[in-house]
Amino acid sequence: MPKAKWNLNTIYISERLQESLRPISRCALTTVVAPMGYGKTTAVEWFLAERARAEQISVIRISVYSANLAIFWRSVQDAFARAGFDLLRDYDCPSDAAGGGLLIEDLCHALAGERACYIFLDDFHLLTSRRAAWFLCALAARLPANVHLILASRDVFLSAAAIVRLGAKVYQIGVEQLRLNHTELAVYISRCGTELSDEQIESLLYYSEGWFSAVYLNLRMFSEHGVLADRSSDISSIFTAAMIDPLPEKQREFLAVMGLADEFTVEMAQDIMQTGDAAELLAALTGQNAFVRRLPDGVTYRFHHMMKECALRVFLTLPQERRNDCRRRFGAWYEQHRQYLHAMQAYYQSGDYHALLRVVQQDAGILLSSLDPKNVLDFLDKCPEDTLKAHPAALLVLMRSMFNWRNIPRMLTLRQLLLTAIDEDPQRSAEERGNLLGECDLIMSFLCYNDISAMSRLHRSASAQMSRPAVSIRSSGGWTFGSPSVLMMFYRAPGELESELAEMDECMPHYYKITGSHGQGAETIMHAEAAFMQGRFTDAHIALERAYAQIEGNGQENMALCCDFLARRLSLFTDIGQRARFEKRREQLLAHHNVSWLNLWNAAAAYHHALLGSLDRIPEAYRRHRLFTVRTLAPGKPMIEMIENQVYLAQGEYAHVIGRSEGLLAQCEAMHYALVALHIRIQTAAAYEMLGKHGEARALLERALADAEPDGFALPFAENFRYLEPLLTERLQGGLTGRIVRLGGLAGQRRAAAERPAVLAALTERECAIVGLMTQRLSNREIAEKLFLSEGSVRQYINQIYAKLRIEGEPRAKRKRLLALLEGTD
């Protein structure tokens, strides 16, 4: 009797499962959730192949290999590029809801079309970040009709609330659809080229519970040994016995070593295994092993997770030196291909700390920042001091990373180690010694943030010693920590403006020299802002144009946005041409896919439109007070909070402004943000005044005027003149107060000319507000309640309105005449 011809790698998708897969093409999101080995990937790949035969489709396949978001994001970028979509190449991984929203907007725009597009995300359970699940649900809710998202996972990740929100957009496939029943098992066994008795099939079904991998492994054992696995055997033992133990030693070691890789090519396997027959080995393995797959790109291979887990056990039986040697070769491969996180991990596991520190230096802290700080500290604890001292440039990168993680004690410990290493090496050249000591001074200057004098001393010291740019700072990174104003960052105390401007002029050229012009134009912007604060608009405009000229073409878009913020503020007081309208500027920024730049644009737009009272044009994050969805670095947060306060004020949320002020002022005091504090006190005084709390408003205003007097800061008051006019006009009209009243009046006239009906041009902001309520047919009492005034005050305001508009007659006739005047019928 001829021996049965086994075909264990056959793909079998039952008719029942085929029916379960069809709705994928009608839903925005499909989840395929089942334990390892149930054929999730096989089922989805079969479906995609069927769709490709039926019509032209685009497929974006993304495999998850770890919880590290930086590694995942790189695989997403590569997957989209392979599918012909290049929009993600320059995109940073979103770090907050605002960035996620921007990415969703761009993805929906780029993927929309006639051709069906399937995004298949495999092994989603390995991506443990809750932000990822939130993002994909939000994406599914917005996807165009031609785009379908498929997520395969071992674990349930959609909450009941998310399922309800998505409604018909989500389709769920689970174990019941994937597992084999008795009939399907019999068909599969027959297609694999063997026959089992009904009793054996029943036993196999009972033991495997229809689990594809368990069935496959049992048939594999049956083909080799003629018996099915014992029920007491665990799946790992069965897998090793069926898939690894029978292999020749060379293939077995190949699986054990290459199982360490997430994905690999023939070229990579040849380099790691130091063999020229990697292609033949892979051809043999894929031909007889369903757990080793070549991906659709035709050049990349991956192991099933079950294979990887069992291969790792075999790898750990190899001699220690052999294991270390393999991991070092992995590290060298990843280092050569700039996959620095993989390289760091491989070198760490091999114990090659010298190589690891070399990669830390090359990475310059960029990808290092995505690691858990605890893991970096564990490495530092294990790494011998002599090894650390042998890599002083890496110590600089680690110092900067510790500063970013706010671990200042460890930062200082690393500094001392660096200084010791420099002192103990007399062979080091004077040039390299200067570069190391200079960059150390540069990094230490961060501890003196917004103390320009202290920072300047360290920057001058660094500049004098260094002959190369710093390795620990990217010139393309943001310079203002998300603040739209340079002056707000560095103005520390009343009366210090001139000295601070002089220090900035002295400091910044040295800083630019050693950082590749990071923050170019900062000192010029600060001069322009200072002139604006004092009401010297021509000087402010000239300095602003100089700053634009310094920045143009150097990629420092965050500094250009600081210029835009000032230009918008200037436009409220004088004629100044804008580089672009708000909407056009936003379109320009969208093309760069940089959410931090868009956040700066939002801040400038929010402040500008709040001052104008154009509430509907304030960006949503500010208008709806959803700044918790925007990631703002700590040094920039008080400025953003101050802008949100201005929005609250424009929205008439006066009590809220007052309630926030104490906490915001405490932040400003802790960070020496005297100008931000000045704005907040003015806003709070305005809120008290609008609530009729004149005593509290007057006290705060007097404190703010006293702080502003030494440096002649008039503009924060003038910007809020519409609220503070009664308080300011009751003071003597000389000095700073007189300048504020003149500037406030000027701004009011410009705003009134642009927005207010011409017939109301003579009225104050308060009087216009009352007219608006009168047009709603509100009584004096109702108006008083709305504006927190007494009825007597309302009557006085109304009489002033009638007098200014020259309306005479009985009270009812006057109101009727006012309404007719506004409607243009009188």
Side-chain angles (χ1 to χ4, degrees):
M1 183 175 179
K3 186 176 180 180
K5 184 178 179 181
W6 292 88
N7 186 19
L8 292 176
N9 284 357
T10 188
I11 301 298
Y12 172 60
I13 305 295
S14 69
E15 291 183 6
R16 179 175 59 87
L17 180 54
Q18 290 180 35
E19 287 297 320
S20 298
L21 293 170
R22 285 194 176 94
I24 293 175
S25 62
R26 301 192 297 271
C27 296
L29 171 63
T30 298
T31 65
V32 187
V33 179
M36 177 176 64
Y38 266 87
K40 301 183 292 295
T41 303
T42 301
V44 174
E45 292 286 9
W46 177 89
F47 168 80
L48 293 174
E50 289 296 303
R51 296 309 307 160
R53 277 192 283 271
E55 61 176 325
Q56 281 194 328
I57 64 172
S58 297
V59 179
I60 302 168
R61 293 174 173 87
I62 306 166
S63 295
V64 183
Y65 294 107
S66 77
N68 186 283
L69 282 175
I71 292 176
F72 168 68
W73 185 245
R74 176 65 180 271
S75 67
V76 171
Q77 291 173 311
D78 290 343
F80 270 77
R82 281 196 299 267
F85 298 99
D86 292 327
L87 77 156
L88 299 185
R89 268 294 168 223
D90 298 324
Y91 239 115
D92 289 331
C93 182
S95 59
D96 56 24
L102 173 63
L103 177 57
I104 288 171
E105 184 179 333
D106 282 352
L107 283 174
C108 291
H109 177 74
L111 300 177
E114 295 296 324
R115 177 183 293 193
C117 178
Y118 294 88
I119 305 173
F120 177 30
L121 198 59
D122 203 5
D123 292 314
F124 183 70
H125 56 276
L126 295 176
L127 197 62
T128 56
S129 170
R130 296 179 64 183
R131 285 192 292 140
W134 171 88
F135 171 80
L136 291 169
C137 287
L139 175 61
R142 296 270 306 278
L143 281 176
N146 67 302
V147 184
H148 312 280
L149 186 59
I150 309 170
L151 305 184
S153 174
R154 293 184 198 173
D155 306 318
V156 174
F157 59 89
L158 284 184
S159 66
I163 293 171
V164 170
R165 280 196 301 271
L166 288 169
K169 289 180 178 288
V170 65
Y171 175 57
Q172 301 177 80
I173 297 174
V175 171
E176 288 307 313
Q177 288 83 13
L178 294 167
R179 66 163 40 117
L180 297 168
N181 61 29
H182 188 283
T183 302
E184 293 160 352
L185 179 57
V187 173
Y188 176 56
I189 290 170
S190 176
R191 292 192 179 184
C192 286
T194 191
E195 293 183 4
L196 295 180
S197 66
D198 285 344
E199 182 180 353
Q200 287 175 313
I201 292 174
E202 193 62 42
S203 175
L204 179 56
L205 181 64
Y206 178 81
Y207 167 69
S208 67
E209 297 182 342
W211 178 15
F212 243 115
S213 289
V215 171
Y216 175 87
L217 292 171
N218 269 273
L219 294 179
R220 188 83 189 199
M221 287 192 68
F222 192 78
S223 72
E224 297 287 340
H225 306 292
V227 295
L228 296 171
D230 190 284
R231 291 186 180 184
S232 63
S233 302
D234 68 88
I235 194 68
S236 296
S237 299
I238 295 173
F239 189 100
T240 303
M243 306 304 300
I244 297 179
D245 289 347
L247 295 174
E249 182 179 351
K250 190 169 186 178
Q251 290 187 19
R252 193 163 58 246
E253 183 170 338
F254 184 93
L255 286 175
V257 174
M258 296 313 298
L260 299 177
D262 295 333
E263 296 177 353
F264 60 91
T265 62
V266 170
E267 180 189 7
M268 179 179 179
Q270 289 174 336
D271 189 87
I272 301 300
M273 299 302 301
Q274 296 185 320
T275 180
D277 60 353
E280 292 76 11
L281 286 169
L282 281 167
L285 289 169
T286 53
Q288 63 187 1
N289 190 326
F291 295 94
V292 180
R293 297 178 56 243
R294 185 165 62 178
L295 299 184
D297 65 6
V299 298
T300 309
Y301 294 80
R302 68 175 295 202
F303 290 173
H304 189 281
H305 284 288
M306 190 180 295
M307 171 65 81
K308 286 175 66 69
E309 290 175 11
C310 292
L312 178 60
R313 296 182 186 185
V314 177
F315 178 80
L316 294 176
T317 65
L318 298 176
Q320 181 69 54
E321 185 50 44
R322 172 68 174 149
R323 298 202 304 270
N324 289 344
D325 185 52
C326 290
R327 292 191 188 278
R328 276 193 292 270
R329 286 203 294 273
F330 269 110
W333 172 271
Y334 290 132
E335 181 183 357
Q336 180 185 350
H337 291 80
R338 302 177 66 85
Q339 298 181 45
Y340 292 140
L341 286 178
H342 289 85
M344 290 180 209
Q345 181 182 37
Y347 284 139
Y348 178 70
Q349 291 173 333
S350 72
D352 192 343
Y353 293 164
H354 284 287
L356 193 160
L357 289 166
R358 183 177 67 239
V359 174
V360 166
Q361 177 183 341
Q362 293 174 48
D363 173 59
I366 298 169
L367 293 173
L368 186 71
S369 64
S370 69
L371 296 178
D372 185 338
K374 182 179 181 301
N375 293 338
V376 180
L377 290 172
D378 288 343
F379 157 68
L380 288 174
D381 289 338
K382 293 176 183 177
C383 186
E385 278 197 3
D386 287 344
T387 303
L388 287 169
K389 289 190 291 186
H391 299 273
L395 286 176
L396 291 169
V397 173
L398 290 166
M399 282 176 62
R400 176 68 191 274
S401 297
M402 291 301 155
F403 173 79
N404 292 341
W405 290 326
R406 290 294 183 265
N407 190 337
I408 306 306
R410 198 56 178 262
M411 174 188 174
L412 296 178
T413 299
L414 290 170
R415 173 180 178 267
Q416 188 56 51
L417 197 62
L418 172 68
L419 297 178
T420 302
I422 295 171
D423 288 341
E424 290 178 352
D425 186 1
Q427 302 302 316
R428 195 181 307 278
S429 70
E431 181 181 25
E432 181 57 19
R433 180 186 178 89
N435 284 328
L436 294 171
L437 290 172
E439 187 159 355
C440 181
D441 282 345
L442 172 63
I443 294 171
M444 292 302 294
S445 74
F446 302 146
L447 295 179
C448 309
Y449 167 69
N450 97 335
D451 183 343
I452 306 177
S453 296
M455 295 184 78
S456 180
R457 286 193 296 273
L458 289 165
H459 290 169
R460 289 196 297 268
S461 171
S463 175
Q465 298 177 85
M466 295 176 68
S467 60
R468 58 156 173 79
V471 300
S472 60
I473 292 179
R474 287 188 300 171
S475 61
S476 59
W479 191 82
T480 64
F481 299 101
S483 166
S485 166
V486 177
L487 186 61
M488 288 183 190
M489 295 172 64
F490 290 102
Y491 182 77
R492 287 172 63 89
E496 295 187 4
L497 177 65
E498 290 305 318
S499 63
E500 288 169 344
L501 290 172
E503 288 282 8
M504 281 290 283
D505 288 339
E506 171 67 25
C507 171
M508 292 310 296
H510 296 289
Y511 180 81
Y512 298 149
K513 173 189 168 185
I514 55 180
T515 62
S517 298
H518 183 222
Q520 182 82 41
E523 76 281 16
T524 313
I525 296 171
M526 189 167 167
H527 274 283
E529 288 186 288
F532 172 73
M533 287 290 109
Q534 295 170 338
R536 296 184 291 112
F537 298 141
T538 300
D539 292 340
H541 192 185
I542 292 170
L544 176 63
E545 292 299 330
R546 284 176 177 159
Y548 272 126
Q550 282 181 271
I551 295 163
E552 188 171 3
N554 69 358
Q556 300 279 304
E557 193 68 38
N558 63 311
M559 304 310 296
L561 284 160
C562 289
C563 289
D564 292 347
F565 180 58
L566 176 57
R568 301 295 180 184
R569 297 176 76 182
L570 259 172
S571 70
L572 299 179
F573 295 89
T574 187
D575 292 323
I576 173 175
Q578 300 297 311
R579 298 287 171 121
R581 295 175 60 86
F582 270 112
E583 295 75 13
K584 182 67 175 177
R585 188 73 170 107
R586 186 175 189 274
E587 288 178 15
Q588 294 170 353
L589 295 172
L590 283 172
H592 296 282
H593 313 300
N594 188 313
V595 73
S596 64
W597 295 351
L598 282 168
N599 289 339
L600 276 170
W601 178 90
N602 282 339
Y607 193 74
H608 179 83
H609 293 307
L611 291 179
L612 285 176
S614 305
L615 303 186
D616 58 329
R617 299 191 65 189
I618 295 172
E620 182 182 15
Y622 286 87
R623 185 175 70 252
R624 297 188 177 180
H625 304 286
R626 295 179 54 81
L627 286 176
F628 62 88
T629 68
V630 178
R631 180 174 176 264
T632 303
L633 296 173
K637 197 166 180 62
M639 294 74 157
I640 300 304
E641 297 271 13
M642 182 277 290
I643 292 173
E644 186 180 28
N645 228 33
Q646 195 70 43
V647 173
Y648 275 122
L649 192 61
Q651 292 172 332
E653 298 286 346
Y654 307 126
H656 204 85
V657 172
I658 295 167
R660 286 161 49 91
S661 65
E662 185 176 350
L664 295 181
L665 287 170
Q667 289 183 41
C668 293
E669 183 177 354
M671 302 183 76
H672 305 288
Y673 282 164
L675 182 53
V676 183
L678 178 65
H679 277 275
I680 291 167
R681 286 195 175 92
I682 292 169
Q683 292 165 345
T684 310
Y688 272 123
E689 176 64 14
M690 297 306 289
L691 290 175
K693 298 282 188 179
H694 307 299
E696 292 88 341
R698 189 175 292 108
L700 271 170
L701 181 63
E702 292 299 330
R703 166 68 190 276
L705 286 167
D707 288 342
E709 181 72 40
D711 293 307
F713 285 170
L715 263 294
F717 302 90
E719 287 178 328
N720 287 283
F721 188 69
R722 60 197 295 188
Y723 308 106
L724 300 171
E725 182 178 1
L727 289 175
L728 288 163
T729 53
E730 72 182 20
R731 301 177 95 253
L732 291 174
Q733 302 298 296
L736 180 61
T737 303
R739 199 176 343 139
I740 291 169
V741 171
R742 288 193 298 276
L743 292 171
L746 173 64
Q749 291 168 16
R750 291 176 63 84
R751 185 168 61 251
E755 300 177 3
R756 189 183 300 174
V759 295
L760 302 183
L763 303 187
T764 67
E765 196 69 33
R766 172 72 85 180
E767 289 165 349
C768 282
I770 290 173
V771 169
L773 296 174
M774 292 171 71
T775 62
Q776 299 174 33
R777 308 286 200 256
L778 297 186
S779 67
N780 287 0
R781 181 177 180 181
E782 289 170 328
I783 293 172
E785 290 175 352
K786 285 274 188 182
L787 298 180
F788 301 95
L789 298 171
S790 67
E791 283 190 68
S793 295
V794 171
R795 282 194 296 272
Q796 285 183 332
Y797 275 117
I798 291 175
N799 288 334
Q800 291 172 11
I801 292 167
Y802 291 149
K804 289 181 178 181
L805 299 180
R806 298 180 181 179
I807 296 175
E808 300 177 350
E810 295 297 320
R812 288 186 181 180
K814 285 181 178 180
R815 182 170 288 209
K816 188 175 180 180
R817 175 89 182 277
L818 174 63
L819 297 178
L821 191 65
L822 292 173
E823 293 169 0
T825 59
D826 188 15

